[in-house]
Amino acid sequence: MRGKTFRLWAGGDAHVGTDLAAGNRRSLAEAIRQAEEGGAEGGPPFEWDIMLDIGDLSGSQTPPGDEEGEEVVRQYSASTLHPREDFYNIVGNHDASGPDEPCQWWFRKWVDPTGENPEYSNVHAGRRPYPVEGTWERYSFQVGNILFLAMGDRNNGGPPVGRAERGGFPAGAVTRETFEWWREKVEANPDKIIVTAHHHMLKNTTVASGPWEGVDGGYHGRFEDGAPIGASYLYFVGGTPDAGAFESYLEAHPGAIDLWLGGHTHTNPDDTCGGRSHVERKWGVTFVNVAAISRYHGKRNISMSRLLTFREGASEVNIRCYLHMCDYAAQGWYDNAERSAPLRRAFSY
């Protein structure tokens, strides 16, 4: 952090296995090198303090295994300016374990946000610049007066909530305990800037996050056993379909949080579906879809991520979009997608 400016790099959906197989592209490593050194096609480097990865490091349509886990760790090691602990992770639907496997074993072993398995993940909890409190499934950390609430997708354990032997089963899920944890954290911290992160967006907030839009729009595969109506948003809470728990809370408590960061639905930075773009404001909250770093996992992908800049004393956050390839526009900052979003209080470090 320089001059009390906090820069959050937010991205995800790297799908490392898919990009390796389809284009021999090391999607995550390439994005890290571009951020630190600049890109081969002219994209400039940029400063960032931590990265928040919103999930789907795996590209597997079957439950991921050790080989892809080892590749994820290798690609994180491409960073020369940031230790592994500067990367904070949440679990996505493609990272999920299978119906007969230990709960989210792959994510806990190889990605490991709380440092349970440093011998595999290279994550040492004591080296975090901002210590994590909680579990792999739900945790918080603070940067100045910003409180981050990170919630992992629980798309595991078999359909309809969890994935089957094949298919990412894209409808999002959290446990009831995770929702209650989130609500309690929100209500206990009215003096904080609150940033919520989950792999999925909420219903009817950003591009293609409405009922059926994920499959009808061609953004996600249609799996009949996996609630295709909710393929593009957080659909299950505690196993209840189309629960609307977060949406109802935010509607009843407008401005309860400042930002919701997610991804999951891959597209180009100018795309709209249902009249919604990647950055939208609803219930006094700014919703930002930061996906996707992958180029090949999906038919509509443009490889991109976001940089959010919080400045000391400022009551707004700047949001910029970085294109990691030049197939849509010049590699680097895509000015058409730049936004500013209000904060309920000024950032203070």
Side-chain angles (χ1 to χ4, degrees):
M1 178 164 315
R2 296 183 180 180
K4 296 187 177 179
T5 295
F6 172 60
R7 299 172 178 89
L8 173 71
W9 182 23
D13 294 272
H15 295 288
V16 298
T18 305
D19 276 39
L20 272 177
N24 196 29
R25 177 176 184 254
R26 300 180 72 223
S27 56
L28 179 63
E30 185 175 298
I32 292 169
R33 285 197 302 268
Q34 289 167 359
E36 295 184 345
E37 304 169 11
E41 297 166 317
F46 56 91
E47 293 185 6
W48 53 277
D49 297 293
I50 64 171
M51 182 194 184
L52 180 63
D53 188 302
I54 50 78
D56 274 6
L57 283 161
S58 171
S60 180
Q61 291 291 350
T62 59
D66 285 330
E67 183 178 357
E68 194 172 17
E70 291 170 351
E71 179 61 28
V72 167
V73 174
R74 276 194 296 271
Q75 293 202 25
Y76 271 122
S77 70
S79 176
T80 59
L81 300 180
H82 293 269
R84 176 63 181 88
E85 291 80 15
D86 282 0
F87 299 85
Y88 291 70
N89 298 88
I90 53 181
V91 59
N93 57 296
H94 278 274
D95 305 323
S97 51
D100 299 318
E101 296 180 329
C103 181
Q104 307 299 48
W105 73 268
W106 183 86
F107 179 81
R108 297 176 71 176
K109 178 179 180 179
W110 294 109
V111 187
D112 190 19
T114 58
E116 292 180 82
N117 295 292
E119 66 273 28
Y120 297 104
S121 67
N122 290 338
V123 176
H124 296 81
R127 300 176 188 172
R128 287 283 193 197
Y130 307 103
V132 164
E133 295 183 2
T135 70
W136 65 269
E137 185 174 4
R138 49 185 176 266
Y139 66 86
S140 64
F141 63 95
Q142 290 191 47
V143 180
N145 66 338
I146 304 174
L147 174 66
F148 286 87
L149 303 177
M151 301 180 296
D153 194 49
R154 277 298 300 269
N155 192 15
N156 65 289
V161 181
R163 75 188 303 171
E165 288 300 322
R166 180 162 183 82
F169 276 45
V174 296
T175 61
R176 174 58 61 172
E177 290 78 10
T178 291
F179 171 74
E180 293 299 336
W181 170 88
W182 175 85
R183 182 183 58 79
E184 291 169 5
K185 287 286 189 181
V186 168
E187 293 179 354
N189 291 279
D191 59 332
K192 302 288 196 307
I193 297 168
I194 298 180
V195 179
T196 297
H198 184 266
H199 181 62
H200 293 73
M201 306 305 300
L202 293 185
K203 182 179 180 180
N204 291 327
T205 55
T206 51
V207 59
S209 61
W212 298 109
E213 289 177 353
V215 293
D216 289 349
Y219 300 92
H220 302 288
R222 187 181 186 113
F223 300 95
E224 296 299 341
D225 291 340
I229 185 174
S232 58
Y233 59 94
L234 208 173
Y235 185 75
F236 293 102
V237 175
T240 301
D242 207 11
F246 293 94
E247 294 89 340
S248 296
Y249 184 89
L250 292 174
E251 183 177 19
H253 304 85
I257 66 174
D258 296 84
L259 293 161
W260 182 291
L261 304 180
H264 179 64
T265 296
H266 316 174
T267 179
N268 71 71
D270 296 313
D271 190 21
T272 59
C273 180
R276 293 171 248 106
S277 67
H278 282 75
V279 182
E280 295 287 345
R281 191 157 174 82
K282 189 173 185 177
W283 306 309
V285 179
T286 301
F287 293 85
V288 186
N289 178 337
V290 304
I293 289 172
S294 170
R295 173 61 183 88
Y296 297 105
H297 193 100
K299 299 177 182 178
R300 308 169 69 108
N301 287 36
I302 295 298
S303 182
M304 61 185 179
S305 59
R306 308 273 169 165
L307 182 70
L308 286 76
T309 302
F310 300 82
R311 292 185 172 85
E312 178 83 15
S315 298
E316 65 176 15
V317 56
N318 178 255
I319 307 167
R320 302 185 74 185
C321 177
Y322 193 96
L323 300 181
H324 293 285
M325 300 178 72
C326 62
D327 49 346
Y328 185 77
Q331 185 186 68
W333 300 115
Y334 185 62
D335 293 339
N336 288 355
E338 184 172 355
R339 301 286 185 271
S340 290
L343 303 171
R344 293 174 300 158
R345 53 195 44 80
F347 169 61
S348 174
Y349 186 66

